[in-house]
Short mmCIF file of all heavy atoms in Angstrom, two decimals:
data_model
loop_
_atom_site.label_atom_id
_atom_site.label_comp_id
_atom_site.label_asym_id
_atom_site.label_seq_id
_atom_site.Cartn_x
_atom_site.Cartn_y
_atom_site.Cartn_z
N SER Q 1 -17.03 5.42 -6.76
CA SER Q 1 -16.27 4.43 -7.44
C SER Q 1 -14.90 4.32 -6.68
O SER Q 1 -14.30 5.41 -6.61
CB SER Q 1 -16.13 4.63 -8.92
OG SER Q 1 -15.40 5.78 -9.13
N ALA Q 2 -14.54 3.21 -6.25
CA ALA Q 2 -13.23 3.18 -5.65
C ALA Q 2 -12.31 2.15 -6.45
O ALA Q 2 -12.83 1.13 -6.88
CB ALA Q 2 -13.45 2.67 -4.14
N PRO Q 3 -11.11 2.39 -6.42
CA PRO Q 3 -10.18 1.51 -7.02
C PRO Q 3 -10.18 0.15 -6.19
O PRO Q 3 -10.34 0.26 -5.01
CB PRO Q 3 -8.78 2.13 -6.96
CG PRO Q 3 -8.89 3.18 -5.88
CD PRO Q 3 -10.41 3.48 -5.83
N PRO Q 4 -10.03 -0.96 -6.82
CA PRO Q 4 -9.94 -2.21 -6.13
C PRO Q 4 -8.73 -2.26 -5.25
O PRO Q 4 -7.67 -1.74 -5.61
CB PRO Q 4 -9.84 -3.31 -7.17
CG PRO Q 4 -9.35 -2.62 -8.38
CD PRO Q 4 -9.80 -1.23 -8.28
N LEU Q 5 -8.86 -2.93 -4.01
CA LEU Q 5 -7.75 -3.10 -3.16
C LEU Q 5 -6.90 -4.16 -3.72
O LEU Q 5 -7.40 -5.18 -4.19
CB LEU Q 5 -8.20 -3.40 -1.82
CG LEU Q 5 -8.95 -2.39 -1.04
CD1 LEU Q 5 -9.39 -2.88 0.25
CD2 LEU Q 5 -8.14 -1.07 -0.90
N VAL Q 6 -5.63 -3.99 -3.76
CA VAL Q 6 -4.67 -5.01 -4.29
C VAL Q 6 -3.68 -5.48 -3.30
O VAL Q 6 -3.40 -4.72 -2.24
CB VAL Q 6 -3.95 -4.52 -5.57
CG1 VAL Q 6 -4.92 -4.18 -6.66
CG2 VAL Q 6 -3.15 -3.28 -5.24
N ALA Q 7 -3.13 -6.61 -3.41
CA ALA Q 7 -2.08 -7.08 -2.53
C ALA Q 7 -0.88 -6.31 -2.75
O ALA Q 7 -0.50 -5.85 -3.89
CB ALA Q 7 -1.83 -8.54 -2.74
N LEU Q 8 -0.05 -6.04 -1.69
CA LEU Q 8 1.13 -5.29 -1.79
C LEU Q 8 2.29 -6.20 -1.31
O LEU Q 8 2.81 -5.99 -0.20
CB LEU Q 8 1.14 -4.03 -1.00
CG LEU Q 8 0.08 -2.95 -1.43
CD1 LEU Q 8 -0.10 -1.88 -0.33
CD2 LEU Q 8 0.30 -2.43 -2.75
N PRO Q 9 2.66 -7.08 -2.07
CA PRO Q 9 3.75 -8.07 -1.60
C PRO Q 9 5.06 -7.42 -1.59
O PRO Q 9 5.32 -6.44 -2.28
CB PRO Q 9 3.66 -9.16 -2.73
CG PRO Q 9 3.21 -8.46 -3.93
CD PRO Q 9 2.20 -7.45 -3.44
N LEU Q 10 5.93 -7.93 -0.70
CA LEU Q 10 7.28 -7.51 -0.60
C LEU Q 10 8.21 -8.24 -1.63
O LEU Q 10 8.01 -9.46 -1.88
CB LEU Q 10 7.87 -7.85 0.76
CG LEU Q 10 7.54 -6.74 1.86
CD1 LEU Q 10 8.16 -7.15 3.18
CD2 LEU Q 10 8.17 -5.39 1.46
N ARG Q 11 9.08 -7.59 -2.24
CA ARG Q 11 10.11 -8.23 -2.99
C ARG Q 11 11.22 -8.83 -2.12
O ARG Q 11 11.43 -8.38 -0.97
CB ARG Q 11 10.70 -7.22 -4.01
CG ARG Q 11 9.77 -6.69 -4.98
CD ARG Q 11 10.47 -5.75 -6.01
NE ARG Q 11 9.38 -5.13 -6.76
CZ ARG Q 11 9.31 -3.80 -6.72
NH1 ARG Q 11 10.07 -3.01 -5.98
NH2 ARG Q 11 8.28 -3.23 -7.47
N ALA Q 12 11.89 -9.83 -2.60
CA ALA Q 12 12.88 -10.53 -1.80
C ALA Q 12 13.95 -9.42 -1.46
O ALA Q 12 14.34 -8.63 -2.10
CB ALA Q 12 13.56 -11.65 -2.69
N GLY Q 13 14.31 -9.57 -0.12
CA GLY Q 13 15.37 -8.69 0.30
C GLY Q 13 14.88 -7.41 0.99
O GLY Q 13 15.72 -6.59 1.56
N HIS Q 14 13.65 -7.11 0.92
CA HIS Q 14 13.16 -5.81 1.48
C HIS Q 14 12.68 -6.07 2.87
O HIS Q 14 12.16 -7.10 3.18
CB HIS Q 14 12.08 -5.19 0.57
CG HIS Q 14 12.51 -4.59 -0.70
ND1 HIS Q 14 13.22 -3.47 -0.78
CD2 HIS Q 14 12.46 -5.12 -1.99
CE1 HIS Q 14 13.57 -3.13 -2.02
NE2 HIS Q 14 13.12 -4.18 -2.78
N THR Q 15 12.63 -5.00 3.66
CA THR Q 15 12.30 -5.09 5.00
C THR Q 15 10.73 -4.83 5.15
O THR Q 15 10.10 -4.37 4.17
CB THR Q 15 12.88 -3.99 5.88
OG1 THR Q 15 12.51 -2.75 5.49
CG2 THR Q 15 14.48 -4.12 5.79
N GLY Q 16 10.26 -5.27 6.27
CA GLY Q 16 8.77 -5.01 6.56
C GLY Q 16 8.43 -3.58 6.45
O GLY Q 16 7.29 -3.15 6.27
N MET Q 17 9.38 -2.61 6.79
CA MET Q 17 9.03 -1.21 6.75
C MET Q 17 8.64 -0.72 5.39
O MET Q 17 7.65 0.04 5.30
CB MET Q 17 10.34 -0.42 7.21
CG MET Q 17 9.92 1.02 7.46
SD MET Q 17 8.70 1.19 8.74
CE MET Q 17 9.22 2.60 9.53
N LEU Q 18 9.27 -1.30 4.41
CA LEU Q 18 8.78 -0.89 3.07
C LEU Q 18 7.39 -1.30 2.80
O LEU Q 18 6.54 -0.56 2.23
CB LEU Q 18 9.72 -1.63 2.01
CG LEU Q 18 9.30 -1.38 0.51
CD1 LEU Q 18 9.41 0.10 0.18
CD2 LEU Q 18 10.14 -2.20 -0.45
N TRP Q 19 6.95 -2.46 3.25
CA TRP Q 19 5.58 -2.90 3.18
C TRP Q 19 4.64 -1.93 3.85
O TRP Q 19 3.64 -1.54 3.27
CB TRP Q 19 5.43 -4.35 3.68
CG TRP Q 19 4.08 -4.88 3.55
CD1 TRP Q 19 3.55 -5.49 2.44
CD2 TRP Q 19 2.92 -4.89 4.52
NE1 TRP Q 19 2.26 -5.93 2.62
CE2 TRP Q 19 1.87 -5.47 3.88
CE3 TRP Q 19 2.88 -4.34 5.77
CZ2 TRP Q 19 0.68 -5.63 4.55
CZ3 TRP Q 19 1.66 -4.50 6.44
CH2 TRP Q 19 0.59 -5.14 5.80
N PHE Q 20 4.94 -1.57 5.08
CA PHE Q 20 4.09 -0.59 5.76
C PHE Q 20 4.03 0.76 5.03
O PHE Q 20 2.94 1.41 5.04
CB PHE Q 20 4.61 -0.41 7.27
CG PHE Q 20 4.26 -1.55 8.11
CD1 PHE Q 20 5.20 -2.36 8.54
CD2 PHE Q 20 2.90 -1.73 8.50
CE1 PHE Q 20 4.88 -3.49 9.33
CE2 PHE Q 20 2.59 -2.83 9.30
CZ PHE Q 20 3.50 -3.76 9.70
N GLU Q 21 5.15 1.18 4.54
CA GLU Q 21 5.12 2.46 3.79
C GLU Q 21 4.26 2.29 2.53
O GLU Q 21 3.48 3.30 2.23
CB GLU Q 21 6.60 2.89 3.40
CG GLU Q 21 7.43 3.27 4.52
CD GLU Q 21 8.92 3.47 4.18
OE1 GLU Q 21 9.28 3.19 3.01
OE2 GLU Q 21 9.68 3.71 5.10
N ARG Q 22 4.37 1.24 1.85
CA ARG Q 22 3.43 1.06 0.59
C ARG Q 22 2.00 0.98 1.04
O ARG Q 22 1.07 1.53 0.36
CB ARG Q 22 3.88 -0.26 -0.04
CG ARG Q 22 5.21 -0.05 -0.79
CD ARG Q 22 5.65 -1.38 -1.40
NE ARG Q 22 4.80 -1.58 -2.56
CZ ARG Q 22 4.63 -2.79 -3.15
NH1 ARG Q 22 5.40 -3.70 -2.73
NH2 ARG Q 22 3.92 -2.93 -4.24
N CYS Q 23 1.73 0.30 2.12
CA CYS Q 23 0.29 0.17 2.62
C CYS Q 23 -0.21 1.58 3.01
O CYS Q 23 -1.35 1.97 2.64
CB CYS Q 23 0.17 -0.82 3.83
SG CYS Q 23 0.34 -2.48 3.28
N ALA Q 24 0.64 2.35 3.69
CA ALA Q 24 0.25 3.66 4.13
C ALA Q 24 -0.03 4.56 2.96
O ALA Q 24 -1.05 5.32 2.94
CB ALA Q 24 1.33 4.33 5.04
N SER Q 25 0.78 4.46 1.92
CA SER Q 25 0.57 5.24 0.70
C SER Q 25 -0.72 4.85 0.03
O SER Q 25 -1.43 5.76 -0.45
CB SER Q 25 1.84 5.08 -0.22
OG SER Q 25 1.61 5.75 -1.47
N ALA Q 26 -0.97 3.52 -0.11
CA ALA Q 26 -2.15 3.04 -0.78
C ALA Q 26 -3.45 3.55 0.01
O ALA Q 26 -4.40 4.01 -0.57
CB ALA Q 26 -2.10 1.58 -0.86
N LEU Q 27 -3.31 3.53 1.30
CA LEU Q 27 -4.52 3.86 2.16
C LEU Q 27 -4.71 5.41 2.08
O LEU Q 27 -5.83 5.85 1.90
CB LEU Q 27 -4.28 3.46 3.63
CG LEU Q 27 -5.39 3.86 4.63
CD1 LEU Q 27 -6.64 3.23 4.16
CD2 LEU Q 27 -4.96 3.44 6.05
N GLU Q 28 -3.58 6.14 2.05
CA GLU Q 28 -3.75 7.61 1.88
C GLU Q 28 -4.41 8.00 0.55
O GLU Q 28 -5.28 8.79 0.44
CB GLU Q 28 -2.39 8.31 1.96
CG GLU Q 28 -2.53 9.78 1.90
CD GLU Q 28 -3.32 10.44 3.00
OE1 GLU Q 28 -3.39 9.91 4.07
OE2 GLU Q 28 -3.97 11.50 2.71
N SER Q 29 -3.98 7.22 -0.52
CA SER Q 29 -4.60 7.47 -1.81
C SER Q 29 -6.15 7.16 -1.85
O SER Q 29 -6.95 7.85 -2.34
CB SER Q 29 -3.95 6.59 -2.85
OG SER Q 29 -4.53 6.68 -4.11
N LEU Q 30 -6.45 6.02 -1.27
CA LEU Q 30 -7.84 5.57 -1.12
C LEU Q 30 -8.68 6.59 -0.27
O LEU Q 30 -9.77 6.99 -0.65
CB LEU Q 30 -7.94 4.22 -0.56
CG LEU Q 30 -9.35 3.64 -0.43
CD1 LEU Q 30 -10.05 3.49 -1.80
CD2 LEU Q 30 -9.32 2.30 0.25
N ALA Q 31 -8.11 6.93 0.82
CA ALA Q 31 -8.71 7.93 1.73
C ALA Q 31 -9.00 9.26 1.09
O ALA Q 31 -10.09 9.86 1.28
CB ALA Q 31 -7.97 8.15 2.98
N SER Q 32 -8.04 9.70 0.22
CA SER Q 32 -8.25 11.04 -0.37
C SER Q 32 -9.40 10.92 -1.42
O SER Q 32 -9.96 12.00 -1.80
CB SER Q 32 -7.02 11.49 -1.06
OG SER Q 32 -6.62 10.64 -2.12
N GLU Q 33 -9.78 9.72 -1.91
CA GLU Q 33 -10.84 9.69 -2.88
C GLU Q 33 -12.18 9.33 -2.27
O GLU Q 33 -13.18 9.56 -2.88
CB GLU Q 33 -10.46 8.56 -3.94
CG GLU Q 33 -9.16 8.87 -4.72
CD GLU Q 33 -8.73 7.73 -5.57
OE1 GLU Q 33 -9.66 6.81 -5.85
OE2 GLU Q 33 -7.63 7.67 -6.04
N ARG Q 34 -12.17 8.77 -1.12
CA ARG Q 34 -13.43 8.33 -0.51
C ARG Q 34 -13.69 9.05 0.84
O ARG Q 34 -12.98 8.69 1.79
CB ARG Q 34 -13.34 6.86 -0.29
CG ARG Q 34 -13.39 6.04 -1.56
CD ARG Q 34 -13.71 4.71 -1.43
NE ARG Q 34 -15.07 4.66 -1.01
CZ ARG Q 34 -15.63 3.50 -0.65
NH1 ARG Q 34 -15.04 2.39 -0.64
NH2 ARG Q 34 -16.88 3.45 -0.28
#
């Protein structure tokens, strides 16, 4: 069972780096479970 993938939108004023960090964190979490 895997958690559903969800969109990781950026809040106004944040840089693209934050988005990549959030994606990397979500991927690491998913990878540790599967």
Side-chain angles (χ1 to χ4, degrees):
S1 60
L5 295 179
V6 296
L8 298 172
L10 274 178
R11 294 185 192 116
H14 287 285
T15 67
M17 189 56 144
L18 175 63
W19 183 83
F20 282 107
E21 289 170 0
R22 290 178 67 198
C23 288
S25 175
L27 182 59
E28 183 61 34
S29 173
L30 181 62
S32 68
E33 295 174 20
R34 295 194 65 186

